[in-house]
Amino acid sequence: MFKNYRITDDIFYVGVNDRQKVKFENLIPLTKGVSYNSYLIIDEKIALIDAVDISFADVYMDKINAQLNGRKPDYVIVNHTEPDHSGALRVLMAHFPDMCIVGNKKTLDILNGFYRIAYNTLEVADGDTLSLGNHELQFYLTPMVHWPETMMTFDKSAKILFSGDAFGSFGALNGALIDEDMNIDGYWDELILYYANIVGKYGSPVQKALEKVGGLPFEIICSTHGPVWKKYLKETVGLYDRLSRYEGEKGIVIVYGSMYGNTALMAETVAQGAGQAGVKNIIVHNASLTDSSVILRDIFKYKGLIIGSPTYSNELYPEIDAIVRKIAIRGIKNRVFGYFGSFTWAGASVKRLASFAETMKWEPVLTPVEEKQGLKEEKYNACLELGAKVAGLL
Ligand code: FEO
């Protein structure tokens, strides 16, 4: 029944859309869904590249069988073992017991640990090749993009890079697979959302991976999530390069927490100061309302970051504390940072934000604004000035 998307004459898409999951990894809200991409190369030997989440095993098997005309896959190449891609492996193995599982040493260790898969395996090392007949596959180990075992598979004859999570985006596929066949506008933010939350801690490994595979003559990228990149190949690789170097666009993200509106008013005033200084991209996030995944996306996107927090139990406001930890975990570099805070009887939030700035090694450290209770004229003007100063340093 299924007529699968075709990428070339003999390479097909057998992945699935997930519009049911509420939170990816039980953490990141999926407002536009997600796809789990799997590909099928039909040659003298047949290879699947990556699998899908276990929840979609039924439809996945039907899509594969629709393409095989009674033949059976000889290999499944596991570029990444995270269960959104490996979950359906045991179902695949039950249907195709002679199929060989291809991965590197770490891949096979993890598959054994998760699923007790320890037979019919083929261990490959960096640079090894596997011939399917007309297609020759070459494996490139790219650890920590996003797990230690992650690798990429380059199909030399088709000039396709099967890249695992790299270059992937959130957002289910809406009626088309390849970027040139769809309106791609909404996927850039979904790619940054995926990068910031899933891969963002691993900027240096991503840079190493780009050095390793960047020179390969690929004309198509097939990642494990989101559109297949063909028309926008250069833009996608360029965006990944900038994100992994923590290079932000000209713009400012202002994140604040506020219980009764005093710190919120400071945030609005800082934003006004930045706007009056000529910055057009200014995003103000109330950390109690906007999910931290979206805040992180915007922090990866823009060079300026200003954080404001009231003092809460002699600490940062809890929602700000959480976002600050998430920024620190990702080691985000090269941000122009400003901060402000308020308190009612004893100030602590501004001190905590100063320590955070020191940990992040962001320079220069601008003079913060700290207000006691409601915002008054002197600190109102200081907030305008803080926004203008960050704007001037972008
Ligand atoms: Fe899409 Fe790291 O899994």
Side-chain angles (χ1 to χ4, degrees):
M1 172 179 89
F2 288 99
K3 294 194 191 318
N4 295 308
Y5 293 115
R6 181 190 287 267
I7 298 165
T8 67
D9 284 349
D10 54 6
I11 301 182
F12 298 86
Y13 178 82
V14 289
V16 296
N17 277 326
D18 185 345
R19 301 181 202 271
Q20 296 165 214
K21 188 170 281 177
V22 178
K23 289 186 174 184
F24 191 80
E25 294 183 345
N26 247 344
L27 277 175
I28 302 147
L30 285 175
T31 54
K32 295 183 178 172
V34 65
S35 69
Y36 310 119
N37 296 348
S38 172
Y39 306 92
L40 188 61
I41 305 175
I42 303 204
D43 199 344
E44 288 164 30
K45 301 278 189 185
I46 294 176
L48 277 160
I49 313 269
D50 294 307
V52 303
D53 187 282
I54 183 65
S55 322
F56 295 86
D58 267 356
V59 69
Y60 180 52
M61 291 311 307
D62 285 345
K63 292 180 91 171
I64 293 169
N65 280 319
Q67 210 62 55
L68 290 179
N69 293 322
R71 292 181 67 192
K72 295 186 188 325
D74 298 276
Y75 302 104
V76 57
I77 317 293
V78 182
N79 282 326
H80 185 21
T81 57
E82 193 165 5
D84 52 332
H85 311 296
S86 67
L89 275 180
R90 286 209 294 208
V91 177
L92 264 180
M93 292 172 76
H95 280 74
F96 306 118
D98 297 327
M99 184 186 64
C100 178
I101 318 269
V102 181
N104 60 68
K105 183 176 185 319
K106 287 180 179 160
T107 314
L108 300 180
D109 284 349
I110 294 173
L111 292 182
N112 192 12
F114 273 155
Y115 308 113
R116 294 170 297 288
I117 293 172
Y119 51 93
N120 270 6
T121 57
L122 173 65
E123 183 179 320
V124 294
D126 195 33
D128 282 359
T129 56
L130 177 68
S131 176
L132 304 178
N134 293 319
H135 291 263
E136 189 179 27
L137 306 180
Q138 186 156 28
F139 306 106
Y140 290 86
L141 269 56
T142 51
M144 302 318 299
V145 186
H146 139 233
W147 279 10
E149 90 299 358
T150 42
M151 65 179 198
M152 300 189 193
T153 299
F154 178 51
D155 182 331
K156 290 180 170 183
S157 42
K159 296 197 164 113
I160 295 180
L161 183 67
F162 295 96
S163 62
D165 277 350
F167 312 110
S169 81
F170 286 124
L173 296 164
N174 298 309
L177 169 68
I178 302 176
D179 58 3
E180 64 190 4
D181 299 326
M182 62 177 76
N183 180 341
I184 207 72
D185 294 352
Y187 284 101
W188 299 121
D189 265 1
E190 292 294 310
L191 185 150
I192 301 172
L193 184 70
Y194 191 89
Y195 183 87
N197 287 281
I198 307 295
V199 190
K201 177 177 168 55
Y202 307 112
S204 168
V206 171
Q207 279 289 306
K208 283 188 188 137
L210 289 177
E211 274 169 34
K212 197 169 197 174
V213 301
L216 297 175
F218 54 85
E219 292 170 358
I220 296 175
I221 292 177
C222 292
S223 85
T224 45
H225 300 286
V228 163
W229 300 110
K230 187 174 179 188
K231 181 177 174 184
Y232 297 99
L233 200 66
K234 279 200 182 117
E235 288 84 346
T236 308
V237 175
L239 177 57
Y240 237 69
D241 182 40
R242 290 197 298 281
L243 289 169
S244 54
R245 283 189 284 109
Y246 301 96
E247 187 182 302
E249 295 171 36
K250 187 170 179 181
I252 302 175
V253 181
I254 299 168
V255 188
Y256 73 90
S258 188
M259 287 171 278
Y260 299 108
N262 294 306
T263 316
L265 185 55
M266 295 177 84
E268 299 294 351
T269 311
V270 169
Q272 188 180 346
Q276 284 169 345
V279 179
K280 292 202 167 60
N281 293 317
I282 300 171
I283 300 181
V284 181
H285 284 304
N286 175 349
S288 298
L289 293 183
T290 307
D291 190 81
S292 63
S293 62
V294 173
I295 296 173
L296 284 171
R297 178 197 69 191
D298 292 338
I299 291 172
F300 267 85
K301 200 165 167 181
Y302 294 114
K303 188 172 173 60
L305 172 63
I306 308 177
I307 299 182
S309 174
T311 295
Y312 191 94
S313 301
N314 205 33
E315 292 290 341
L316 288 171
Y317 186 65
E319 300 294 344
I320 294 297
D321 195 44
I323 192 75
V324 155
R325 282 170 191 271
K326 288 176 185 183
I327 294 167
I329 284 168
R330 284 159 179 79
I332 298 174
K333 297 179 183 32
N334 307 325
R335 289 298 176 270
V336 177
F337 183 60
Y339 58 106
F340 58 92
S342 70
F343 63 94
T344 303
W345 66 94
S349 63
V350 162
K351 273 183 245 160
R352 303 276 181 261
L353 287 171
S355 309
F356 164 68
E358 207 172 310
T359 310
M360 299 304 295
K361 300 190 172 64
W362 287 331
E363 284 181 351
V365 176
L366 298 173
T367 307
V369 185
E370 186 177 39
E371 180 62 288
K372 183 175 182 180
Q373 298 151 5
L375 185 58
K376 294 169 278 294
E377 188 168 0
E378 184 191 342
K379 298 299 168 73
Y380 177 87
N381 288 328
C383 283
L384 286 176
E385 201 179 322
L386 177 63
K389 270 193 181 154
V390 171
L393 289 166
L394 294 178

